[in-house]
Amino acid sequence: MSSSTTGKTTKLNWKLSLLLGLLTGGVLGAGIQHYNNVPVTTAYSTLKSDYQSVVDELNKEKLSVKQLTDEKALLVESSNQKLEALNLQLDQQKDQLKQLTEQLVTIKKQQETTQKLVVTKKKLNKEVVALKTKAKQQKEVIDNSNVLFEQKSKTQHDLAVVQKQIATLSPEIKKTKKACAEFKSGNSWNWVSQKDCDNYEALQQKLSKLKAQESQLKQSLATINKKING
């Protein structure tokens, strides 16, 4: 409370004491003591005026107390409202923090899932590359095998042709060889001549070439079979 309010309260208390003294019968002594050489009527009027002043001061004080009480109530209400607003804001921030925490957990899970997918994709890419490489190698083997089988088939065919020619040529060689031998021994018949020896030599050369072809084809066939069998 301020100094002015304290002064007013002291004055008010004094006036109330004086008034109370008058009301309880001590008016004469108090009036004579406080208002020396003042007539009773004048003293009464003065005391009445003072009483009214005291009543007015009291009313003012009551009004001031009421105003202070109202202000205090308003401050309390305002503080409560602010406190409620702060509590509400705090609850909202807690909810927001909870949501952000949940979002963070979700994002971390998504990151982990994404990382797993990346790892899986890399692994699959490696497997795909390996499969493509293996498929390419197998295709090359198959293509080479096809080529080798074609070569084998052709070589077998050529070998069969040469061997058939050799088989066909052998009887003719034997025949011309015998005629040539008779011609050279001088015991030949009239139809045996030098021409038989010439044919024999020619057939021998042809047989040598066929034998050489046969050997070469057999060697090629063995090489092809080795490649096919790995």
Short mmCIF file of all heavy atoms in Angstrom, two decimals, residues 3 8 13 15 37 39 46 50 85 94 111 122 128 139 160 167 172 174-175 177 191 194 220 223 228:
data_model
loop_
_atom_site.label_atom_id
_atom_site.label_comp_id
_atom_site.label_asym_id
_atom_site.label_seq_id
_atom_site.Cartn_x
_atom_site.Cartn_y
_atom_site.Cartn_z
N SER A 3 2.19 5.41 0.54
CA SER A 3 2.26 6.29 1.72
C SER A 3 1.02 7.13 1.84
O SER A 3 0.53 7.39 2.94
CB SER A 3 3.52 7.16 1.61
OG SER A 3 3.47 7.93 0.44
N LYS A 8 -4.10 8.34 4.65
CA LYS A 8 -5.56 8.40 4.65
C LYS A 8 -6.13 7.42 5.66
O LYS A 8 -7.09 7.70 6.38
CB LYS A 8 -6.10 8.10 3.25
CG LYS A 8 -5.82 9.22 2.25
CD LYS A 8 -6.39 8.86 0.88
CE LYS A 8 -6.12 9.95 -0.13
NZ LYS A 8 -6.67 9.58 -1.48
N ASN A 13 -8.76 6.33 10.68
CA ASN A 13 -8.82 5.64 11.97
C ASN A 13 -9.03 6.63 13.12
O ASN A 13 -9.75 6.38 14.09
CB ASN A 13 -7.52 4.85 12.19
CG ASN A 13 -7.45 3.66 11.24
OD1 ASN A 13 -8.49 3.20 10.76
ND2 ASN A 13 -6.24 3.17 10.99
N LYS A 15 -10.47 9.62 12.97
CA LYS A 15 -11.83 10.15 12.91
C LYS A 15 -12.83 9.13 13.40
O LYS A 15 -13.81 9.43 14.10
CB LYS A 15 -12.17 10.60 11.49
CG LYS A 15 -11.39 11.84 11.07
CD LYS A 15 -11.75 12.28 9.66
CE LYS A 15 -11.00 13.55 9.26
NZ LYS A 15 -11.37 13.99 7.89
N ASN A 37 -12.58 25.53 24.30
CA ASN A 37 -13.25 26.82 24.13
C ASN A 37 -14.13 26.89 22.91
O ASN A 37 -14.33 27.93 22.30
CB ASN A 37 -12.22 27.97 24.08
CG ASN A 37 -11.40 28.07 25.36
OD1 ASN A 37 -11.95 27.84 26.46
ND2 ASN A 37 -10.13 28.41 25.25
N PRO A 39 -18.02 26.04 21.39
CA PRO A 39 -19.37 25.69 21.84
C PRO A 39 -19.73 24.28 21.42
O PRO A 39 -19.24 23.76 20.42
CB PRO A 39 -20.26 26.73 21.14
CG PRO A 39 -19.34 27.87 20.83
CD PRO A 39 -17.98 27.28 20.60
N THR A 46 -19.22 20.23 13.76
CA THR A 46 -17.90 19.85 13.20
C THR A 46 -17.74 18.35 13.19
O THR A 46 -17.26 17.75 12.22
CB THR A 46 -16.80 20.50 14.04
OG1 THR A 46 -16.96 21.92 14.00
CG2 THR A 46 -15.42 20.15 13.48
N ASP A 50 -17.20 15.93 10.19
CA ASP A 50 -16.09 14.97 10.17
C ASP A 50 -16.58 13.55 9.96
O ASP A 50 -15.94 12.73 9.28
CB ASP A 50 -15.30 15.07 11.47
CG ASP A 50 -14.53 16.38 11.56
OD1 ASP A 50 -14.31 16.99 10.48
OD2 ASP A 50 -14.14 16.75 12.68
N ALA A 85 -3.53 -20.99 -22.01
CA ALA A 85 -3.04 -20.86 -23.38
C ALA A 85 -1.66 -21.48 -23.53
O ALA A 85 -1.36 -22.17 -24.51
CB ALA A 85 -3.01 -19.38 -23.79
N LYS A 94 3.81 -30.72 -27.84
CA LYS A 94 4.08 -32.13 -27.51
C LYS A 94 3.52 -33.04 -28.61
O LYS A 94 4.17 -34.00 -29.02
CB LYS A 94 3.46 -32.48 -26.17
CG LYS A 94 4.21 -31.92 -24.97
CD LYS A 94 3.54 -32.33 -23.66
CE LYS A 94 4.31 -31.79 -22.46
NZ LYS A 94 3.67 -32.17 -21.18
N GLN A 111 14.28 -45.34 -45.18
CA GLN A 111 15.69 -45.32 -45.58
C GLN A 111 16.30 -46.71 -45.51
O GLN A 111 17.04 -47.12 -46.42
CB GLN A 111 16.47 -44.36 -44.67
CG GLN A 111 16.18 -42.88 -44.93
CD GLN A 111 16.92 -41.97 -43.98
OE1 GLN A 111 17.37 -42.40 -42.93
NE2 GLN A 111 17.05 -40.71 -44.33
N LYS A 122 21.69 -54.03 -56.47
CA LYS A 122 23.08 -54.22 -56.87
C LYS A 122 23.39 -55.71 -57.00
O LYS A 122 24.07 -56.14 -57.93
CB LYS A 122 24.01 -53.57 -55.85
CG LYS A 122 23.99 -52.04 -55.90
CD LYS A 122 24.96 -51.46 -54.88
CE LYS A 122 24.98 -49.94 -54.94
NZ LYS A 122 25.90 -49.37 -53.94
N VAL A 128 22.56 -60.65 -62.71
CA VAL A 128 22.14 -60.51 -64.12
C VAL A 128 23.36 -60.48 -65.02
O VAL A 128 23.40 -61.13 -66.08
CB VAL A 128 21.28 -59.24 -64.30
CG1 VAL A 128 21.08 -58.95 -65.79
CG2 VAL A 128 19.93 -59.41 -63.63
N LYS A 139 26.29 -69.56 -75.22
CA LYS A 139 25.94 -69.35 -76.63
C LYS A 139 27.16 -69.56 -77.52
O LYS A 139 27.07 -70.17 -78.60
CB LYS A 139 25.40 -67.94 -76.82
CG LYS A 139 24.91 -67.65 -78.24
CD LYS A 139 24.32 -66.27 -78.34
CE LYS A 139 23.79 -66.01 -79.73
NZ LYS A 139 24.80 -66.10 -80.78
N ALA A 160 34.65 -90.44 -95.70
CA ALA A 160 33.92 -91.57 -96.28
C ALA A 160 34.10 -91.62 -97.80
O ALA A 160 34.26 -92.71 -98.40
CB ALA A 160 32.44 -91.47 -95.92
N ALA A 167 38.81 -97.76 -101.61
CA ALA A 167 38.28 -99.13 -101.73
C ALA A 167 38.03 -99.49 -103.19
O ALA A 167 38.25 -100.64 -103.62
CB ALA A 167 37.00 -99.25 -100.91
N GLU A 172 41.63 -102.26 -108.96
CA GLU A 172 42.23 -101.85 -110.24
C GLU A 172 43.75 -101.84 -110.12
O GLU A 172 44.47 -102.21 -111.06
CB GLU A 172 41.73 -100.45 -110.62
CG GLU A 172 40.24 -100.40 -110.93
CD GLU A 172 39.80 -99.02 -111.38
OE1 GLU A 172 40.69 -98.18 -111.64
OE2 GLU A 172 38.59 -98.77 -111.44
N LYS A 174 45.58 -103.71 -108.10
CA LYS A 174 46.03 -105.10 -108.10
C LYS A 174 46.07 -105.67 -109.53
O LYS A 174 47.01 -106.38 -109.91
CB LYS A 174 45.12 -105.96 -107.25
CG LYS A 174 45.26 -105.69 -105.76
CD LYS A 174 44.32 -106.60 -104.94
CE LYS A 174 44.46 -106.34 -103.45
NZ LYS A 174 43.56 -107.22 -102.66
N LYS A 175 45.04 -105.36 -110.31
CA LYS A 175 44.95 -105.87 -111.68
C LYS A 175 46.08 -105.32 -112.55
O LYS A 175 46.76 -106.07 -113.28
CB LYS A 175 43.60 -105.50 -112.26
CG LYS A 175 43.36 -106.05 -113.65
CD LYS A 175 41.96 -105.67 -114.13
CE LYS A 175 41.70 -106.18 -115.53
NZ LYS A 175 40.35 -105.81 -116.02
N LYS A 177 48.84 -104.03 -111.56
CA LYS A 177 50.13 -104.42 -111.00
C LYS A 177 50.54 -105.79 -111.54
O LYS A 177 51.72 -106.02 -111.93
CB LYS A 177 50.06 -104.47 -109.47
CG LYS A 177 51.38 -104.87 -108.81
CD LYS A 177 51.25 -104.90 -107.30
CE LYS A 177 52.56 -105.31 -106.64
NZ LYS A 177 52.48 -105.38 -105.18
N TRP A 191 47.96 -109.17 -125.08
CA TRP A 191 47.19 -107.94 -124.69
C TRP A 191 47.86 -107.16 -123.58
O TRP A 191 47.48 -106.08 -123.22
CB TRP A 191 45.76 -108.33 -124.28
CG TRP A 191 45.70 -109.43 -123.23
CD1 TRP A 191 45.64 -110.75 -123.43
CD2 TRP A 191 45.70 -109.22 -121.83
NE1 TRP A 191 45.60 -111.45 -122.27
CE2 TRP A 191 45.63 -110.52 -121.25
CE3 TRP A 191 45.76 -108.10 -120.99
CZ2 TRP A 191 45.63 -110.72 -119.87
CZ3 TRP A 191 45.75 -108.33 -119.64
CH2 TRP A 191 45.66 -109.61 -119.08
N GLN A 194 53.04 -101.93 -122.16
CA GLN A 194 53.61 -100.88 -121.32
C GLN A 194 52.52 -99.99 -120.70
O GLN A 194 52.68 -99.45 -119.62
CB GLN A 194 54.59 -100.03 -122.14
CG GLN A 194 55.26 -98.91 -121.39
CD GLN A 194 56.15 -99.39 -120.25
OE1 GLN A 194 56.83 -100.43 -120.43
NE2 GLN A 194 56.14 -98.67 -119.13
N SER A 220 42.08 -84.48 -88.59
CA SER A 220 41.15 -83.37 -88.38
C SER A 220 39.94 -83.82 -87.58
O SER A 220 39.46 -83.10 -86.68
CB SER A 220 40.70 -82.81 -89.73
OG SER A 220 41.78 -82.28 -90.45
N THR A 223 40.84 -84.11 -83.95
CA THR A 223 40.93 -82.78 -83.32
C THR A 223 39.55 -82.21 -83.02
O THR A 223 39.30 -81.64 -81.95
CB THR A 223 41.70 -81.82 -84.24
OG1 THR A 223 43.01 -82.36 -84.50
CG2 THR A 223 41.84 -80.46 -83.61
N ILE A 228 35.00 -81.01 -79.18
CA ILE A 228 33.60 -81.23 -78.81
C ILE A 228 33.50 -81.83 -77.40
O ILE A 228 32.67 -81.43 -76.58
CB ILE A 228 32.91 -82.14 -79.83
CG1 ILE A 228 32.75 -81.39 -81.16
CG2 ILE A 228 31.54 -82.58 -79.32
CD1 ILE A 228 32.19 -82.24 -82.29
#
